[in-house]
Amino acid sequence: MSPRLGQKSLSEFKVVKVDYKEKPTFVFYTDGIPGQTNEKSKEFGDRRFMKTITKLVAEENFSLEELHSGIFREVDEFRGTKMQQDDLTLLTIRMTG
């Protein structure tokens, strides 16, 4: 996991060109997803989030809609009866050409 984008006011960013052999899918999200806690105050966490993504993209022809709904389903099941604490924002992009 990378640090938050623009976390520091004087952040510097490099522009990098990358050639992909396969058509990648990029997942952008806010900290509310891994930061969501359950009734025991345990965080969903980066590791569980990555495992969720890995499991969902294992299907050869997964759709972005299935990826979104699967991630939110896993977070909701983990959260249980605990109130949602933060925004859960998710953006996925699949390169096609």
Side-chain angles (χ1 to χ4, degrees):
M1 297 293 162
S2 299
R4 288 178 268 195
L5 184 63
Q7 183 172 359
K8 298 179 182 177
S9 61
L10 299 175
S11 297
E12 293 183 26
F13 304 95
K14 295 179 186 178
V15 176
V16 178
K17 181 178 178 182
V18 179
D19 292 320
Y20 295 98
K21 293 179 182 177
E22 297 182 20
K23 297 175 184 173
T25 298
F26 297 94
V27 178
F28 301 92
Y29 58 94
T30 58
D31 62 345
I33 294 175
Q36 178 61 56
T37 57
N38 62 13
E39 297 97 345
K40 298 177 182 177
S41 298
K42 183 173 181 177
E43 284 192 350
F44 189 71
D46 292 332
R47 181 174 289 171
R48 188 183 319 268
F49 186 40
M50 290 303 298
K51 282 184 177 182
T52 298
I53 293 170
T54 301
K55 177 179 72 172
L56 293 168
V57 301
E59 290 288 324
E60 188 172 324
N61 294 314
F62 72 94
S63 71
L64 297 182
E65 292 83 8
E66 291 168 332
L67 180 59
H68 281 208
S69 63
I71 289 170
F72 288 127
R73 182 177 52 251
E74 292 285 329
V75 172
D76 283 344
E77 287 175 9
F78 175 83
R79 179 174 54 85
T81 59
K82 178 118 184 214
M83 293 283 293
Q84 181 177 319
Q85 301 161 250
D86 198 355
D87 69 290
L88 304 178
T89 304
L90 182 65
L91 169 69
T92 54
I93 300 171
R94 178 177 291 151
M95 304 303 285
T96 60

